[in-house]
Structures are given as C-alpha cells and as structure tokens.
Amino acid sequence: MAVGGTKVNPQKFHKSQIPFYLYLIPIAIFMGAPIVYIINHAFKPMDELFAFPPRFLVSHPTLDNFRNLLQTTAGSSIPIGRYVFNSLVVTLAVVILSIFISTMAGFALSKMNFKLKGPVFEVNNIALMFVATAVTIPRYLTINALGILDTYWAHILPLVAMPVCLFLIKQFIDGVPNSLIEAAQLAGAGSFTIYRKIILPLVKPAIATGAILSFQSVWTNVETSNLFTSAEGIRTLPFYMNTLSSVGSVQGQGMAAAAALIMFVPNLLLFIVMQSSVMNTMAYSGIK
Amino acid sequence: MEREIKKRRNSRLTRDDLTSYALLAPYILLFAVFILIPVMMTAGLSFTNFDVINPPRFNGITNYLYLFTQDTVFMKYVLPNTFLYAIVVGVGGYVLSFLLAWMLAQIQALPRTLLSLCIYMPSMLGQVFIAVIWRTVFSGDQGGWMNAVLLQLGWIDQPIQFLLVPDYFMLIMIVVSLWSSMGIGFLSMISGILNINREIYEAAYIDGLRNRFQEIVHITIPSMKPQMLFGAVMSVVGAFQAGNIGVMLTGSNPTPGYAAQLMVNHIEDYGFTRYEMGYAAAVSVGLLGLIYAFSFIARKLFSAKDE
C-alpha cells in the first residue's frame, strides 16, 4: 500500500470521512425533505392541511385526499381511471419501442461498419443538446400532417427517439467483446440472430438505464398532452395532475399532493430496483 | 482460390451494409421526423412571418433584426435572466454535481448508495410534482411552509408573496432548479470517479502528489474527461431547457415583472400566446445556437482526444 494514497471508495469507515458526511448529510436532507413533506401532506386530514403553523409530519394519516381525488374526477366528465389508462398505455409503448429501436441502432452503430456510421453518431451527439420546446411548432405541424393529432401516437412517437438513450446504449455495446460476435458469425449466425442472442442479454444494464430514462421522460410529460391533443379523453395523467394542482384551495393542495405521490412512486420504485444497473451503464457514459 | 475468398468477403459486406441500415432504420426514421426535420423547419420558419392562420410569408432576416435591436423584453429581461440562470444553475450546478460526486466517492459503498439516491431523487420528479412541492412551501399565505417558519421566528410580520414578488422569485427559481438538477450527469460523474484506476493515484503519490486537492486537479479530473463532458452537456442542456419552472410556480406566462422569463418562456409567449410563430422560431434558433456554443466550450475543455 502506498503511503498517503488516495482514499477513493474505501472499504471501511475512517474518521477522515467525517467531514464529507458533514457536507453530504445536510444536502441529502435538503434534497429529500421537500419530498418527505409532500408525502406527509398527501396523507393529512383536512384539519391538518389548514393548520397554522403548518406541521411537517402528519399526525393522523388518512386516505381522504386520495378518496377526494377519485371522487372529484367522478364528478367531471373524465374519470381518473381513463387518464391512468392512457398514461400506462403510452408509457409502456414508449419504453418498449424505445428499447428495441435504440438497441438495434446502437448495435449497428457500435459493431457494424457502414458508410454513414460516423456522421450518424455525430448528429446524434449534437442532438443530445436538443431542446424540445424550441421546435414545438414544427412538431405540431408534422403531427398534424401525419394525421395523428389527438391519438395515442401523438404521445408515443415523438418520445421514442431519445438521443441520450441511443448514446448510452451504443457506448455500452462498445464494451461487448468483438470476439464473441466473430465467433457467432463463424458459426453462421446472421446479424439479427447475433442481436437477439448475444447483444440483448449482455447489455441488460444499458437496457435498464434506457428504460428508466424513457420512463421518466414519458411518465411525467405534460407537453404532449398540452400541445398535441385537445380531446380530454386522450390526455395523460400528468396533464390531469397539473390541472388539479393549479386549484388554489387548501383541499386542492391535499389532492394535488396525493396525485403527485401517485405519479412519483412508480418512478422511485423503478429506479431503486434498477439502480445498480444504472450505475453500471454510467461507467460507459463518457463522451470522447 | 484468392478470387473466391475476395468474392465471399465482398458479398458479406454488402449484406452487412443492408442489415446495418435495417437495424438503424426505425431510429433514423423517428429521429428524422421528430427531431431533425422540426429543427430544419424551425430554421426555415425563422425567416418568415407565420401566424398559423395564414401560410408563412417570407420576410428575410426581419425577425433576427427585431430580436437584436428592438425586442426590449428580450434584451432587458430574457437574455440576462437566461445567462444568469445558465451560469448559476448550469455551471454552478455542474460544479456542485462534481463536488458531491467526489465526496460521495470518498465514503463507503452503502452510505454512498443511500445518499446518492436522496440527492438524485428530485431529478426524477417531473415538473408537476416539483411545482406542487415548492408552491406549497413558498405559498404566499401563512399556509406556506416558508412563511410559517419565518412568521414563527418573528423575522417577518406579514406573509411574503414569494411567488409574486419579482425579487424573490428568481432566487427561488434558482434554488428549485439546483435542487432538481442532480440527474444523470451527476450519476455519470460518480461512476467516472469510482472507475479510475487506483494505480494511477498510487503512482502519482509516489511521484510527489501531496494532498487531495492536487489529486483532484491532476489525476481525477483528467482521468474522467469523457464523463465530465457528458455531465457538462447534460447540465447545459438542462439549464437552457428550463423555463417551465417559472410558469408552473407562478401559474402565468409571462411571469410577473418578467422576473423569471427565460428564453424558453419567451419562445412560448410569442409562439403560443401571440401566434407570431416566425419570430418564435427565430428565438428558438438563437436558443439552439447558444446551447451549441456552450457545449462547444465544454468540448474544448474536456476533449480527451489529445491524450
């Protein structure tokens, strides 16, 4: 062991680590506190929501806000179930399509040689800087021209091509040893077979990361509902949550917190489950 | 014999080419339709006057001239706000990401995982949730958590309309944005730091490296330049992409006193409220140009090509 060597990623606890904890723990609390606050807020009964001074933690948790949520929507023309259904359909479609399309393209960009390979990857890299808001108008015109306004496709198609996902997946596939692919080719496998039987199983962490990223981009997306659909029945959950939360009343706050919680939990669970896969993929995330 | 081998190799290449294109096709198609073509259309529209009802009328560089000479809102509020925001949240957030990532790398794996989850969580929330949380915290009546605390401490007599007074508002937006900005760029940097070969450190320490600071500057950062670049690009894009936060916190676009007006809001204002799509397109081109310029600087800083 070198004297005075670096202490990155230590195995055991050492008191020199304490200063770092002193910084990290308050920051983590700052990051986590608002979320804890909202979680508590969602379970507060009416009197606690109105309480002044407002309390941080809930003392008599109830499911009132959630019940109100379901009932309010029963009063309006579209039940919340419809929004949930829309969101589920759209999210599932985007995640699955995005994974297949990105892994296929990533495989081609990483392991195959063809004329436009360099430019395609470069263009995609530039597209990492893409800001969707800057092109909402042409997108709207395109979707209109394609005739898919007010359909599920308006939610799905714009979000499937994610330059970030393609980038991460391609980088990860770069790490698959070429010898494996060559061996398969010698054994007579065609490219699609190689894709199915070798690449896909080996890049599961990248697939997990891509799935999480596309999930996050779809599940909370209000723009597609706002801009590309006008019929209420076709809009998705986050749009509905948004409508709810702009109600100013205190009761509205409770419902908004409940709604926000419903949106957040799947996201959180997904990430916790896939967390190590994500970190694994990130090892390849450098842009060279 | 040789001619046979060459023929076989050639035909395999041709089949390979076709397969490559087949594999790429779905992505390229969607990419072209929903990203590439809209960008080109935006560039095209920026030279026109387009109010959605009538077809676009070509008007040369009028939009751009207006943008740089006559758009006072842009010059007085939007551009400075955007730069302020980009520097504090983009660059500042990036530096903060790196520091946090580095500190996290100095502790053991289990606490690191827990703490990084806490820090990463806000970035997963989505605009709506973030607005819900912080609107509740900074609500202008005494029900707002911030106001309640300040009132109890006796620091103020009346609840402050945080979300309506321009002075506080930019500050709040910056805090909220920093809070939610520790995303995949952050994760990438943690990963980058953890994956640096220990032997490089050991060699450097033998060579005379003396403290942690030197370690960071001379070894850590150069060894993870690709991750630094990825993090930088993500930060820049995120910072310039923001704009919805202002609208969601106050409920209106433009925000009161233009306090939180960023380029994205400006585009939406002209595009969707005033139906001046041609002008909005010109501003959009400006935005994309700015992002590209910042990313170019990042690339210059972190290019690993000359190693």
Side-chain angles (χ1 to χ4, degrees), chain A residues 2 4-13 17 20-21 23-24 27-28 30-31 34-35 37-38 41 52-54 56 101 104-105 107-109 112-116 120 123-139 141-143 157-158 160-164 166-168 191-192 213 216 220 222-223 227 238 241-242 245-246 253 260 264 267-268 271-272 275 278-279 282-283 285-288, chain B residues 16-17 19-24 26-28 30-31 33-35 38-39 41-42 50 100 102-108 111-113 115 117-122 124-126 128-129 132-137 139 142-145 148 151-152 175 178-179 182 184 187-188 190-191 193-195 198 201-202 205 212 215 226-227 229-230 233-234 237 241 244 248 264 267-268 272 277 280 284 287-288 291-292 295 299 305:
Chain A
T6 184
K7 302 196 187 66
V8 172
N9 200 7
Q11 294 295 333
K12 291 203 307 231
F13 181 74
Q17 297 169 5
F20 299 124
Y21 282 107
Y23 278 111
L24 288 171
I27 292 183
F30 174 63
M31 294 297 202
I35 299 175
Y37 177 63
I38 281 290
H41 216 58
F52 173 75
F56 195 79
I101 293 182
M104 288 201 291
F107 174 45
L109 276 178
M112 308 187 99
N113 281 308
F114 50 95
K115 269 184 294 222
L116 294 175
V120 169
V123 169
N124 193 59
N125 272 357
I126 298 180
L128 284 177
M129 307 182 265
F130 175 72
V131 174
T133 327
V135 296
T136 37
I137 307 133
R139 266 192 173 179
L141 295 171
T142 312
I143 293 188
L157 290 181
V160 172
M162 276 190 76
V164 182
L166 177 62
F167 175 74
L168 289 174
S191 296
F192 278 111
L213 286 177
Q216 283 178 8
T220 55
V222 275
E223 282 82 28
L227 303 165
M241 301 306 185
N242 199 12
S245 71
S246 19
Q253 269 189 12
F264 176 59
N267 216 345
L268 182 66
F271 183 72
I272 293 182
Q275 182 255 356
V278 173
M279 291 311 285
M282 287 303 165
S285 65
I287 302 178
K288 295 205 175 54
Chain B
D16 236 16
D17 258 11
T19 323
S20 316
Y21 291 129
L23 285 171
L24 269 180
Y27 184 82
I28 301 276
L30 286 170
F31 183 85
V33 170
F34 289 103
I35 298 184
V39 170
M41 281 172 74
T42 301
F50 183 39
L100 287 177
W102 188 80
M103 284 198 269
L104 282 167
Q106 308 301 314
I107 63 179
Q108 296 160 282
R112 172 169 63 239
T113 310
L115 288 173
L117 179 65
C118 279
I119 297 179
Y120 180 70
M121 259 204 305
M124 291 198 277
L125 295 177
V128 178
F129 201 169
V132 169
I133 293 178
W134 292 98
R135 259 212 293 256
T136 315
V137 169
S139 175
Q142 41 225 116
W145 203 68
L151 280 171
Q152 276 221 299
V175 168
L178 279 175
W179 179 78
M182 303 293 153
I184 41 175
L187 292 181
S188 167
I190 297 181
S191 183
I193 298 177
L194 289 175
N195 280 310
R198 293 195 96 107
Y201 288 113
E202 287 175 7
Y205 270 101
R212 294 291 186 84
E215 174 190 311
Q227 279 81 6
L229 182 56
F230 182 71
V233 172
M234 291 292 116
V237 174
Q241 212 168 4
N244 272 319
M248 304 212 64
V264 169
I267 295 173
E268 284 182 356
F272 292 107
M277 301 275 183
S284 304
L287 180 62
L288 289 173
I291 298 180
Y292 190 68
S295 309
R299 243 172 234 259
K305 289 203 180 123

Side-chain angles (χ1 to χ4, degrees), chain A residues 50-108:
Chain A
F50 276 107
F52 173 75
R55 306 169 56 125
F56 195 79
L57 296 173
V58 60
S59 46
H60 300 293
T62 90
L63 293 176
D64 277 349
N65 291 318
F66 294 94
R67 244 175 270 141
N68 284 336
L69 197 61
L70 288 171
Q71 280 172 356
T72 307
T73 63
S76 79
S77 50
I78 313 272
I80 193 175
R82 173 84 202 193
Y83 290 107
V84 174
F85 177 74
N86 289 344
S87 264
L88 285 176
V89 166
V90 166
T91 308
L92 215 57
V94 170
V95 172
I96 293 180
L97 280 176
S98 162
I99 289 180
F100 274 110
I101 293 182
S102 298
T103 45
M104 288 201 291
F107 174 45

Side-chain angles (χ1 to χ4, degrees), chain B residues 47-89:
Chain B
F47 295 108
T48 70
N49 193 325
F50 183 39
D51 63 4
V52 187
I53 307 175
N54 305 311
R57 283 177 299 129
F58 187 71
N59 67 4
I61 56 173
T62 317
N63 291 329
Y64 289 99
L65 284 177
Y66 183 79
L67 182 64
F68 288 115
T69 60
Q70 298 215 9
D71 192 347
T72 42
V73 170
F74 182 70
M75 282 303 168
K76 263 179 74 180
Y77 298 105
V78 177
L79 200 54
N81 279 345
T82 308
F83 267 103
L84 175 68
Y85 190 83
I87 304 255
V88 175
V89 177

